[in-house]
Amino acid sequence: MRTSITTSTLLISIVLIILIHCTIISQNARYTEVSTGLNSSMDYAYDRMFDYYSDKEFINKYVVLDENGYAKTQDGKLVFKDDVKNVQANLVEYFCNVLKERLGSDGKIKVQLLYMDLQEGTFQVRVTEYFPYPLLNKVGTCVYEKTYTLY
């Protein structure tokens, strides 16, 4: 009787240790997966947005050109055909669409534009992803805040 109680206690302890170990490993693996995916997706979305920003079609649509075909400046600042807010909204929308296409996760993302200055060429964005853990029915978060240059 004593051996069966000791054996069953030992087996239950081993099962609990394995379950806790698997849960911790699962959480770390999930966070690492989401973190690397979000990081690379943000960089890819920025690269695509920069390609779009430097594309002739974008420049012809939003930037005033001089007689030689170069971007016109006034007092050292670019002259836009449209309101700068509309240009910024177009670029951020393009960034978000590419980011959404690129992410392969089942989480929800929140994109915040922290700062954008088209004259200086600075683009600062914070992306937060909320994702579920597979075993615990908990929601984790992963946040990246990056500053990019448009020139």
Side-chain angles (χ1 to χ4, degrees):
M1 179 72 167
R2 183 170 187 225
T3 57
S4 64
I5 292 175
T6 305
T7 306
S8 64
T9 305
L10 182 63
L11 287 174
I12 290 173
S13 298
I14 289 173
V15 167
L16 283 175
I17 289 171
I18 290 173
L19 185 64
I20 291 170
H21 178 70
C22 289
T23 302
I24 292 171
I25 294 296
S26 172
Q27 283 181 342
N28 288 339
R30 177 72 171 149
Y31 181 80
T32 303
E33 171 192 357
V34 169
S35 175
T36 56
L38 183 60
N39 188 19
S40 66
S41 296
M42 283 180 68
D43 290 340
Y44 179 75
Y46 163 72
D47 287 340
R48 290 276 309 273
M49 185 190 74
F50 183 73
D51 291 344
Y52 177 65
Y53 178 73
S54 59
D55 187 28
K56 288 187 184 243
E57 180 182 324
F58 178 84
I59 292 172
N60 289 335
K61 184 175 181 181
Y62 289 110
V63 179
V64 176
L65 303 176
D66 63 8
E67 59 277 352
N68 296 326
Y70 295 108
K72 187 175 183 179
T73 59
Q74 188 174 37
D75 297 329
K77 295 185 176 187
L78 286 173
V79 179
F80 292 99
K81 294 178 184 175
D82 200 359
D83 184 31
V84 175
K85 297 282 185 196
N86 293 339
V87 178
Q88 290 176 346
N90 191 325
L91 285 172
V92 171
E93 181 181 347
Y94 193 82
F95 177 85
C96 291
N97 289 338
V98 173
L99 183 65
K100 189 171 80 172
E101 288 173 11
R102 179 75 173 175
L103 277 177
S105 155
D106 59 347
K108 307 258 188 263
I109 60 171
K110 176 180 162 184
V111 178
Q112 295 172 298
L113 177 65
L114 301 177
Y115 180 75
M116 182 181 235
D117 187 354
L118 295 175
Q119 303 299 334
E120 294 177 10
T122 307
F123 174 70
Q124 186 176 14
V125 65
R126 177 185 301 142
V127 178
T128 307
E129 183 171 1
Y130 303 96
F131 59 93
Y133 286 111
L135 295 177
L136 298 176
N137 211 11
K138 286 178 26 181
V139 175
T141 60
C142 182
V143 179
Y144 273 102
E145 184 175 313
K146 292 190 174 192
T147 302
Y148 297 106
T149 180
L150 295 172
Y151 301 117

